[in-house]
Amino acid sequence: GSSLDILGGTFDKSTYRFTYILNGTGRYGLATRAKAVSWIDLRLNSNTMAMSDGTTATVDPAPLLYRGSTMVPIRSVFEKMGATVQWNNISRTARISYRNKTLYIRQSGTITGTDMQPYTINGRMLVPLRYISTEIGATVLWWSQEGRIRIVY
């Protein structure tokens, strides 16, 4: 027939594996979601960011394009995701800690894994959004015609 069998099964968090229950008919549908996701919506040159929980916040300075990369202020954006951002004034280094990842970014150095340096506006460090987000396990979606950005984490 034209029916689609829904699969059942269990997910083992320690091994990140599913064990599926199949009925042998040969037509299967599968939908999985390992966890609930959250997101932050940003726009180039806009000081407002919207979160998936319906709240809004100010991002200062606004996201901007610099040398082909979207740059965002570390503290405004990544703390909203739940990251801890710390500044070491002696070494001029920002530390971003999120889940099991920690990144160090020197104010005057090239960001490891890129050819980019942080950009500073009014004492606030801006970093390449896609690179930093990917490094801490988030995904960045980009709608270039609208200058709209979504960080999914």
Side-chain angles (χ1 to χ4, degrees), residues 21-60:
I21 300 168
L22 307 175
N23 74 357
T25 64
R27 290 184 55 104
Y28 302 103
L30 175 64
T32 61
R33 175 173 274 179
K35 64 177 181 166
V37 296
S38 298
W39 64 85
I40 296 173
D41 284 341
L42 302 159
R43 285 191 186 272
L44 290 177
N45 306 311
S46 171
N47 290 99
T48 302
M49 60 181 158
M51 277 62 71
S52 55
D53 65 5
T55 61
T56 60
T58 300
V59 57
D60 182 37

Side-chain angles (χ1 to χ4, degrees), residues 6-10 19-24 28:
I6 303 298
L7 302 180
T10 58
T19 301
Y20 297 104
I21 300 168
L22 307 175
N23 74 357
Y28 302 103

